[in-house]
Amino acid sequence: TKSVASVLVGIAADLGLLLLDQPASDFITEWQGTDSEAVTIRHLLRNTSGRRYDFLQDFDELVRAPDQSAFAIGLGQTAPPDTVWFYSNSAIQTLETVLERASGDDVADFADEHLFGPLGMTATLTRDGAGNVTLYSGIEAGCLDMARFMLMVQRRGEWGDRRIVSPEFVSEAIAPATDLNNAYGLLFWRNADPPWDHTDPRRDRSTRFWPQAPLDAYMASGAGDQVSMVLPSQNTLFVRVGPLGASSGHDGVVADELAGLMVATLEG
């Protein structure tokens, strides 16, 4: 869902509805005059906004909130932007308000018109109790839906003779977005060292998130081992949807095993 949200923001930028380096407070007016006023849309996309984060907040309180966008917007600031990296569902959910106010359209309708419809996807975005689209989790999409989405990304935003999103945005989305986490772009994961020990100067930056995958691999990662990975050097991609695998969450074990199997098959 987060990677889809990233592309939706990229489309909005291409349409001139927003700028990535624009303060999110231009749209989230509730942040004006607060410590969050300087947070940009790019900060939200690369998870360096410094918005308040903790596990209970993100995986319990946010999910149970009747109005998840209002809950996320109402949280405070932990640190200045670009000083910390948090995998923050709440911060990403604020992009729903940014997109809705920038486009003047319901986010699900915007996605259907500019992304799902053109790609022939049958995917739908879910909503909270207040009717807000959830952009951090919850997309209902099948294997072919995600394959279409990732193939469009692999083609740098092209689908047939149609341009879905600019190649400049795609290139940035799948490149390292911050020194705080070399394994992250703009809501896409990359095959580099993960950030779990990013404060430790002794860490080995040569390690890879998925050791069995090529260095240029990148992925849209879903909770419960939902995997949509592109292997550019192999000119291929694969998607895995289904029940929880041998691992859980974002530790990458299932993704790495599948990448290794794919590489072995292609090279065998």
Side-chain angles (χ1 to χ4, degrees), residues 90-247:
S90 298
I92 293 166
Q93 179 58 22
T94 66
L95 289 170
E96 187 272 340
T97 300
V98 169
L99 276 172
E100 183 174 62
R101 294 180 181 177
S103 67
D105 199 0
D106 178 83
V107 175
D109 292 341
F110 184 85
D112 287 340
E113 179 180 356
H114 296 285
L115 182 61
F116 297 161
L119 293 185
M121 294 173 64
T122 60
T124 57
L125 294 166
T126 56
R127 299 179 186 270
D128 65 13
N132 304 304
V133 168
T134 56
L135 284 184
Y136 66 92
S137 182
I139 190 172
E140 297 178 358
C143 186
L144 288 177
D145 285 330
M146 292 309 301
R148 286 171 177 266
F149 175 74
M150 294 302 285
L151 184 57
M152 180 274 295
V153 173
Q154 184 180 7
R155 292 172 173 172
R156 290 299 193 273
E158 289 188 358
W159 189 255
D161 59 357
R162 180 163 181 171
R163 167 67 59 191
I164 303 299
V165 65
S166 66
E168 293 81 9
F169 180 83
V170 174
S171 295
E172 183 173 355
I174 61 175
T178 170
D179 289 340
L180 296 170
N181 181 359
N182 196 40
Y184 211 67
L186 303 181
L187 303 184
F188 282 85
W189 287 99
R190 304 178 58 257
N191 198 14
D193 59 327
W196 320 134
D197 60 347
H198 72 265
T199 59
D200 186 351
R202 299 167 299 175
R203 68 181 178 143
D204 181 2
R205 286 183 173 269
S206 67
T207 59
R208 287 163 31 183
F209 211 172
W210 315 298
Q212 299 182 69
L215 279 169
D216 59 0
Y218 57 88
M219 181 171 77
S221 174
D225 299 322
Q226 314 308 309
V227 176
S228 301
M229 182 181 286
V230 174
L231 310 176
S233 56
Q234 303 283 345
N235 194 31
T236 193
L237 63 85
F238 64 90
V239 177
R240 185 265 184 196
V241 297
L244 189 69
S247 69

Side-chain angles (χ1 to χ4, degrees), residues 10 54 64 88 91 97 117 141 185 210:
D54 66 60
R64 290 189 293 107
S88 174
T97 300
W210 315 298

